[in-house]
Amino acid sequence: MDTDLRLRSLLFELHFEEFICPAMIARKPSAGFTTGWITGERDGKPVALKDVRNGLNSVDQNFIEHVSSKGWKTGLFEFDGRSFRAMHNSENWLQAGCERANVKFKDYCSKSESKVENRVMKYLHVIDEAVLAGGFASRAAMNCLMKAEIVSNIRDLDAVFYSEDNGLSIVEFKRKYPMRNFRPWRSGKDLEPFPLDALSDPEPFAKPRSRPGQHFGLDTKSHGKTVVDAFAAGIRYLYLVLESRMTSPDEFFGTDLQALYRKPLLFAEVTPASFRGIAETKGVHRGRDAPRRAQSGSFNSGRRLQLTVDRADFRLFDILSPQNEVESL
């Protein structure tokens, strides 16, 4: 992914964290949220890592206690934008991983950058410096920890929410549009537990079908695994979609990160039983024919295998409507 596409993706993340998340919890006085969690696997068990440069809030503490009780490993580190440091009393694997990440960070900083379009660059001149710095630091930390192989199958959690009535929820936010083709499960297949190991075997799937506008995708080895881990741990997984083919930030929010769009978001509570099949898809491309060539809303232009969730499973969530007019998440 080139620099311009990385920045577009970062700006959508900041819009989610600075505008959508506060709008979501505004409807639940007892709710709270946190961002910055990273998950993966180590020794066959789920792992959750967190950069604590800004401290931990009550949702973080609740999340740590809950996943630890379900057999997850947890690790806390600090990344100040220059180096990684495992927190006091961390296990050896985390300390060694932070040392490797420091080496990778030097390589990360030495890479040349490509051109950034003006309609993206204008945000960088206006958005609060601390907000931007936090976003860049999170991206750098994720990249370096992945290259340091601190855990396997590393992926980030967009946000973790907690409310008294729903408990913990992992929220995944995407700006995308429905895919065109997918391979449905053959009838009678039991999807609980979800057969991730079968994804390379075509036997569980029927021939491809074309049902434009009927399914949204989630990447198999990242989001799919997170859905499975969350379900096993008794944590809700909410898939929040801003449906659009557009990719430029200024189509959706101003330099204050406040929404410009009027239509509601879509959301679905996803479990392993929610997946209807798989699809191969490509992300956005640069150039005049980008909308025609792209097959999903992703900023990653590579081919990916995705699990499909039926559009009929989604409900509307209007973040701009008064509290008493919309359903709370």
Side-chain angles (χ1 to χ4, degrees):
M1 189 188 303
D2 65 23
T3 303
D4 184 75
L5 293 182
R6 284 201 303 270
L7 289 174
R8 290 178 186 229
S9 179
L10 172 63
L11 290 172
F12 274 94
E13 287 181 12
L14 295 179
H15 170 60
F16 171 68
E17 295 176 6
E18 299 294 321
F19 177 75
I20 295 178
C21 287
M24 290 169 66
I25 65 170
R27 295 173 171 81
K28 289 183 178 287
S30 64
F33 76 96
T34 184
T35 60
W37 279 98
I38 297 170
T39 64
E41 287 83 45
R42 184 175 180 82
D43 300 329
K45 293 184 178 181
V47 176
L49 304 173
K50 170 80 173 182
D51 179 0
V52 296
R53 66 181 182 273
N54 295 321
L56 297 173
N57 64 19
S58 60
V59 180
D60 291 313
Q61 298 289 359
N62 196 309
F63 183 71
I64 292 172
E65 293 175 6
H66 182 86
V67 299
S68 296
S69 72
K70 301 298 182 180
W72 292 35
K73 293 184 177 181
T74 60
L76 305 177
F77 66 93
E78 187 174 78
F79 178 61
D80 61 5
R82 296 181 298 274
S83 64
F84 294 84
R85 180 175 66 89
M87 301 309 292
H88 183 62
N89 292 331
S90 295
E91 295 185 36
N92 291 336
W93 62 268
L94 181 57
Q95 295 181 24
C98 285
E99 292 175 2
R100 295 195 303 273
N102 284 327
V103 175
K104 299 300 181 182
F105 183 62
K106 294 180 181 179
D107 296 335
Y108 181 83
C109 293
S110 65
K111 291 183 178 180
S112 60
E113 302 293 347
S114 54
K115 184 178 179 180
V116 177
E117 294 184 5
N118 288 335
R119 63 192 310 184
V120 173
M121 183 61 72
K122 67 181 181 182
Y123 286 86
L124 307 185
H125 296 307
V126 178
I127 295 177
D128 182 84
E129 184 176 340
V131 173
L132 270 180
F136 281 120
S138 296
R139 280 299 183 93
M142 178 70 178
N143 186 286
C144 296
L145 291 174
M146 178 178 63
K147 292 182 180 299
E149 298 180 343
I150 194 168
V151 294
S152 61
N153 193 21
I154 193 170
R155 63 263 186 198
D156 64 332
L157 305 182
D158 288 348
V160 177
F161 279 72
Y162 178 81
S163 65
E164 292 181 355
D165 50 352
N166 290 320
L168 288 166
S169 301
I170 292 171
V171 179
E172 177 67 24
F173 171 67
K174 295 289 186 186
R175 176 219 41 83
K176 64 190 318 176
Y177 50 90
M179 58 183 55
R180 300 178 61 182
N181 299 293
F182 79 111
R183 295 174 66 94
W185 299 109
R186 295 184 186 276
S187 60
K189 284 291 178 181
D190 181 8
L191 298 188
E192 296 206 34
F194 181 72
L196 285 175
D197 294 339
L199 290 177
S200 60
D201 178 8
E203 190 276 331
F205 310 102
K207 293 181 179 180
R209 297 179 185 175
S210 179
R211 295 175 61 194
Q214 296 299 314
H215 291 84
F216 288 104
L218 285 170
D219 289 349
T220 55
K221 293 184 178 180
S222 55
H223 304 122
K225 187 62 169 65
T226 303
V227 170
V228 172
D229 289 345
F231 183 77
I235 300 173
R236 292 201 315 163
Y237 187 100
L238 295 181
Y239 188 12
L240 192 65
V241 175
L242 173 54
E243 184 181 5
S244 178
R245 287 178 174 269
M246 302 299 181
T247 63
S248 181
D250 57 10
E251 300 280 354
F252 302 95
F253 48 87
T255 54
D256 58 359
L257 300 177
Q258 301 297 295
L260 299 177
Y261 50 88
R262 299 298 305 178
K263 70 177 185 178
L265 302 176
L266 302 175
F267 80 97
E269 182 174 349
V270 179
T271 72
S274 301
F275 299 127
R276 300 294 192 265
I278 60 169
E280 185 181 53
T281 184
K282 294 185 293 185
V284 300
H285 289 75
R286 306 303 299 275
R288 295 176 60 184
D289 62 344
R292 177 178 62 83
R293 295 174 60 195
Q295 296 174 352
S296 78
S298 173
F299 284 115
N300 188 327
S301 61
R303 287 184 175 273
R304 302 183 322 285
L305 195 64
Q306 293 198 324
L307 301 161
T308 62
V309 181
D310 198 309
R311 198 180 192 283
D313 292 343
F314 286 79
R315 290 174 283 171
L316 298 179
F317 178 67
D318 192 342
I319 59 175
L320 301 179
S321 293
Q323 176 178 346
N324 59 2
E325 292 184 8
V326 298
E327 180 177 3
S328 295
L329 299 181

